[in-house]
Amino acid sequence: MAATAQVSAQVTDAMIAKDAATPENVLTWGMGTQGQRHSDLNDVNSKTISKLVPVWSMSFGGEKQRGQESQPLVHNGKMFVTASYSRIFAVDSKTGKKLWKYEHRLPEGIMPCCDVINRGAALYDNLVIFGTLDAQLVALDQDTGKVVWREKIDDYSAGYSYSAAPLIAEGLLLTGVSGGEFGVIGRVEARDPKTGKMVWTRPVVEGHMGYKDGKENGITGTTNASWPGETWKTGGAATWLGGTYDPKTGLAYFGTGNPGPWNSHVRQGDNLYSASTVAIDVKSGQIKWHYQTTPNDGWDYDGVNEFITFDMGGKRMGAKADRNGFFYVIDAENGKLQNAFPFVKKVTWATGVDLKTGRPNFDPANRPGDPTAAGGDGTKGKSVFSAPGFLGGKNQMPMAYSPKTGLFYVPSNEWGMEIWNEPITYKKGAAYLGAGFTIKPLNDDYIGAMRAVDPKTGKIVWEVKNNAPLWGGVLTAGDLVFWGTPEGYLQAADAKTGKIVWKFQTGSGIVAPPITWKEGGEQYISVVSGWGGAVPLWGGEVAKRVNFLEQGGSVWTFKLAK
């Protein structure tokens, strides 16, 4: 009997494939590999939510109270949650009792771009697997926390790091890389999740060779087709948010970051496959299609935002709310653009997106100037004011989709930036920007806005404004939408109207996505609380607006009072 219990506790490919349809647990980042972040659980609804109360809170402890962007996983009575500084905890999911913790020993000299965050783990077999800020993957025994295997992703001294939640698809562990601000090369890798052994690797910058089973598997793109000279060798395009997977298409979808350096004048061309979504065949490790949201990006509009697949008009579609301020609806099978529209109020770098060609209609006057242009002193190009700011109309915080309403719920921000280009040369391990910038609010009364977006019409059905920037993800459950605010509130709104029906103060800013699951016949809701991330580090005048917010590090769990 004991052996049978042990087998039932293991996470299988079939369980992962059904994660979205089995709301009694949470096995994946995105609450299903498609990333919809929707649950059919509805014990907690607009009529009962007034009874929603905290049942436990667990502190991560110590002095490491930096940004907490993790989405917890729940399986077999345990919650697995990562924390800042490459830590992971196993917790009794009903009581909050710590079962074990693992603290990765980080070396001196790590170079995380945007705080010492971690966004979550992956479950497979009896393992829980997560990445670290010194660009390693660590697999631990779910019951004991003992290290089963450890593999190096890349050289942290060259600027590589890892902060995303890994993705399990078709029995493979899929990961990307972080470090786009250091001239690294973005890529997607597939490993055997039981051993960490590499199966294939696919660079997402043209000119670099892919490998499968230790053998060459074709160059990505065509060398120098969209990168001049040797700029492709330090091309950036980090895959730093991780990916989604759709079993109906057999494709994994990864967003790619900004090209390196920020100064677009030194790399004339589209710079494929930066600022794009790439669809990769999981079995072959080949890119089946790509869609580039910001060709020749000059504003740091990373295209890493999650690609969520859903059904619309009898077709499998994918949706993406991009940092550049546009919301894209794309055929998930072939990458053809179906619709594109702004989801923020102010976009200056382009006047729109051509639905026939899929390309943006650039405003040439809004590209930061070339510092080597005639008439200048060679140290600084023409400065422009661009919106959105480089932190994006939406950044790392994942949106959610409700099949019940047909709407996407997008945590968005309204801000702009003054930006200019500077001369730059690549140096290993040094920031590779070639730009200066200052982020500025666009409005006196709000920066963040939770928006319900109709992917068919492009209409914003409702919005809830927020004084501080929104930096946490979204959950839809039943007829409700849950999200957190930097001011510390976890709150819920009616999914159809946007009316706030409940809120709770967690004591620190929320920059993480909530989850829900069912155990012992009761529905639970959890969220990680702990202010930090990119805004206080990079936010310029915006950072001054939120400097009163306190850091933290805890998990809060709620259920209905009896």
Side-chain angles (χ1 to χ4, degrees):
M1 292 296 290
T4 304
Q6 179 61 34
V7 169
S8 68
Q10 292 177 339
V11 177
T12 64
D13 292 310
M15 291 165 65
I16 291 169
K18 295 176 182 174
D19 188 29
T22 52
E24 65 270 15
N25 54 34
V26 179
L27 303 179
T28 58
W29 190 85
M31 297 177 58
T33 61
Q34 289 175 250
Q36 291 186 354
R37 299 186 178 275
H38 172 77
S39 174
D40 286 331
L41 294 177
N42 61 2
D43 293 352
V44 180
N45 55 54
S46 54
K47 292 177 180 169
T48 63
I49 195 165
S50 61
K51 297 180 181 178
L52 191 66
V53 296
V55 288
W56 60 260
S57 175
M58 183 210 73
S59 171
F60 295 138
E63 299 175 0
K64 299 173 179 177
Q65 304 295 309
R66 294 277 287 274
Q68 314 292 348
E69 293 182 0
S70 176
Q71 180 220 289
L73 302 174
V74 179
H75 169 61
N76 198 32
K78 299 185 187 74
M79 176 183 287
F80 301 95
V81 58
T82 61
S84 56
Y85 292 96
S86 304
R87 295 174 290 167
I88 185 168
F89 296 79
V91 185
D92 184 301
S93 54
K94 287 184 80 170
T95 68
K97 178 186 176 184
K98 286 182 188 176
L99 302 174
W100 56 257
K101 71 175 178 178
Y102 168 83
E103 296 194 56
H104 189 70
R105 185 174 293 177
L106 290 168
E108 296 289 330
I110 58 169
M111 289 176 274
C113 138
C114 304
D115 210 0
V116 286
I117 56 92
N118 187 283
R119 298 191 178 94
L123 300 178
Y124 194 78
D125 197 49
N126 66 330
L127 301 176
V128 54
I129 306 162
F130 82 118
T132 66
L133 291 168
D134 60 344
Q136 294 191 50
L137 287 169
V138 182
L140 306 160
D141 184 287
Q142 289 179 18
D143 294 318
T144 65
K146 295 251 171 52
V147 175
V148 176
W149 60 258
R150 184 188 289 121
E151 288 290 331
K152 178 180 175 182
I153 296 173
D154 215 309
D155 178 10
Y156 70 86
S157 68
Y160 285 91
S161 59
Y162 191 74
S163 54
L167 169 69
I168 301 285
E170 303 295 334
L172 293 172
L173 176 76
L174 304 184
T175 57
V177 296
S178 305
E181 265 44 272
F182 295 94
V184 306
I185 296 301
R187 62 182 190 265
V188 178
E189 295 181 336
R191 285 178 165 82
D192 181 334
K194 290 187 179 182
T195 65
K197 181 185 176 186
M198 187 76 75
V199 176
W200 55 256
T201 181
R202 173 52 53 195
V204 294
V205 176
E206 278 187 339
H208 295 271
M209 179 64 72
Y211 292 87
K212 186 173 186 292
D213 299 323
K215 299 174 183 175
E216 291 186 351
N217 193 28
I219 286 176
T220 297
T222 303
T223 308
N224 291 135
S226 64
W227 294 84
E230 296 195 337
T231 54
W232 58 277
K233 293 183 177 179
T234 50
T239 45
W240 57 261
L241 194 61
T244 56
Y245 172 72
D246 192 319
K248 288 193 176 179
T249 65
L251 299 174
Y253 305 94
F254 276 74
T256 67
N258 59 288
W262 288 21
N263 182 345
S264 62
H265 299 280
V266 302
R267 44 172 173 78
Q268 296 290 336
D270 283 356
N271 312 136
L272 292 173
Y273 296 91
S274 69
S276 301
T277 294
V278 293
I280 300 176
D281 183 280
V282 170
K283 298 280 173 50
S284 68
Q286 298 283 359
I287 295 175
K288 292 297 290 284
W289 61 257
H290 76 277
Y291 180 84
Q292 189 172 40
T293 46
T294 316
N296 193 224
D297 173 28
W299 303 267
D300 189 38
Y301 289 152
D302 294 45
V304 297
N305 294 79
E306 69 285 353
F307 187 81
I308 298 176
T309 55
F310 69 110
D311 292 318
M312 187 176 84
K315 284 187 171 183
R316 200 64 148 184
M317 296 294 178
K320 177 180 187 175
D322 199 86
R323 262 177 60 171
N324 68 21
F326 288 99
F327 190 102
Y328 298 84
V329 181
I330 297 167
D331 189 309
E333 296 271 6
N334 58 32
K336 297 264 173 57
L337 180 67
Q338 306 298 305
N339 201 4
F341 49 85
F343 66 95
V344 293
K345 300 290 176 65
K346 186 166 185 173
V347 176
T348 62
W349 67 277
T351 57
V353 178
D354 188 316
L355 295 183
K356 288 184 179 179
T357 66
R359 295 181 69 85
N361 299 314
F362 287 105
D363 178 356
N366 199 254
R367 183 176 292 273
D370 184 350
T372 65
D377 63 3
T379 63
K380 181 178 177 181
K382 179 178 71 105
S383 178
V384 296
F385 186 83
S386 299
F390 73 86
L391 290 177
K394 191 180 86 63
N395 199 282
Q396 62 84 24
M397 52 283 195
M399 64 182 180
Y401 172 73
S402 171
K404 291 185 71 173
T405 64
L407 302 176
F408 283 86
Y409 299 91
V410 185
S412 52
N413 289 308
E414 299 285 348
W415 41 26
M417 64 180 171
E418 184 182 358
I419 182 170
W420 60 90
N421 286 326
E422 300 166 348
I424 184 71
T425 54
Y426 173 77
K427 182 181 177 184
K428 178 183 173 181
Y432 192 46
L433 300 184
F437 46 82
T438 304
I439 287 198
K440 299 179 179 180
L442 295 176
N443 307 288
D444 292 332
D445 57 335
Y446 79 104
I447 297 173
M450 180 60 63
R451 291 181 170 137
V453 174
D454 186 330
K456 290 182 179 178
T457 65
K459 180 183 176 186
I460 294 174
V461 178
W462 56 257
E463 72 173 2
V464 176
K465 294 178 179 178
N466 197 76
N467 180 54
L470 291 181
W471 208 253
V474 190
L475 162 71
T476 68
D479 61 356
L480 297 172
V481 181
F482 291 85
W483 72 96
T485 72
E487 291 90 345
Y489 289 101
L490 176 64
Q491 55 193 24
D494 183 292
K496 289 183 178 177
T497 67
K499 179 186 177 185
I500 301 287
V501 294
W502 177 87
K503 61 168 52 180
F504 178 85
Q505 175 57 252
T506 65
S508 182
I510 297 174
V511 292
I515 60 166
T516 188
W517 80 98
K518 200 162 194 173
E519 192 169 330
E522 296 182 290
Q523 183 180 353
Y524 291 82
I525 291 163
S526 290
V527 73
V528 173
S529 171
W531 170 241
V535 175
L537 295 175
W538 292 82
E541 291 184 18
V542 170
K544 295 175 189 173
R545 243 197 225 194
V546 294
N547 63 8
F548 65 93
L549 300 174
E550 300 296 342
Q551 293 181 328
S554 59
V555 188
W556 285 87
T557 295
F558 306 82
K559 71 175 182 178
L560 296 174
K562 292 181 179 176

